[in-house]
Each structure stands twice: as structure tokens, then as C-alpha cells.
Amino acid sequence: MRIIVQNTKCQGHARCASHAPHIFKLDDTGYILPGNIEVAEGEEVTASRGARSCPERALKLDRE
Ligand code: F3S
């Protein structure tokens, strides 16, 4: 599973990182770092929760 990061939508709410700081890495100003995120096996549920918590819908799940 992969998370597609849409940086232009991120407003720095940091809810993603509050669910899973080891998956959703933020920069010094609290915005998500650019680049899609490859989710490790066993982390899918946590990653999904974090992605769905974003009020700006900046994080899309890609289950391919
Ligand atoms: Fe940004 Fe959404 Fe996370 S606004 S910091 S991607 S909760």
C-alpha cells in the first residue's frame, strides 16, 4: 500500500503525524514532507487512519 501525498493541499494540521509520526513525517513548519509514502506490511491500518484524518484530504490511499 502507498500513500499519495498532495503537498499543495497540506495546511499543516499535523493530524496525520499524531496518528503515526513514524509514517507521516513533517518538516520544521509542520507540513508533510514531499514524496509518496510506501507503507510497510502490518502498518496499513495505522496509515489508513492517519491518511483519513487529514481534513484537507491531502493524503490518498493507493492500495495497488
Ligand atoms: Fe498536512 Fe493533512 Fe497532515 S494538512 S500535516 S497532511 S493532517
Side-chain angles (χ1 to χ4, degrees):
M1 189 179 105
R2 178 191 302 162
I3 309 277
I4 311 288
V5 176
Q6 299 174 285
N7 286 86
T8 53
K9 293 186 175 178
C10 178
Q11 296 296 319
H13 295 290
R15 290 194 201 170
C16 54
S18 75
H19 282 275
H22 58 296
I23 298 174
F24 301 100
K25 305 263 168 63
L26 307 183
D27 68 15
D28 290 344
T29 57
Y31 284 66
I32 190 101
L33 291 177
N36 297 332
I37 300 166
E38 295 296 334
V39 177
E41 246 175 72
E43 297 274 22
E44 289 93 346
V45 173
T46 308
S48 301
R49 263 188 214 129
R52 283 200 302 261
S53 74
C54 177
E56 307 296 336
R57 302 195 191 283
L59 305 169
K60 291 180 91 173
L61 298 175
D62 179 3
R63 295 185 185 275
E64 290 292 303

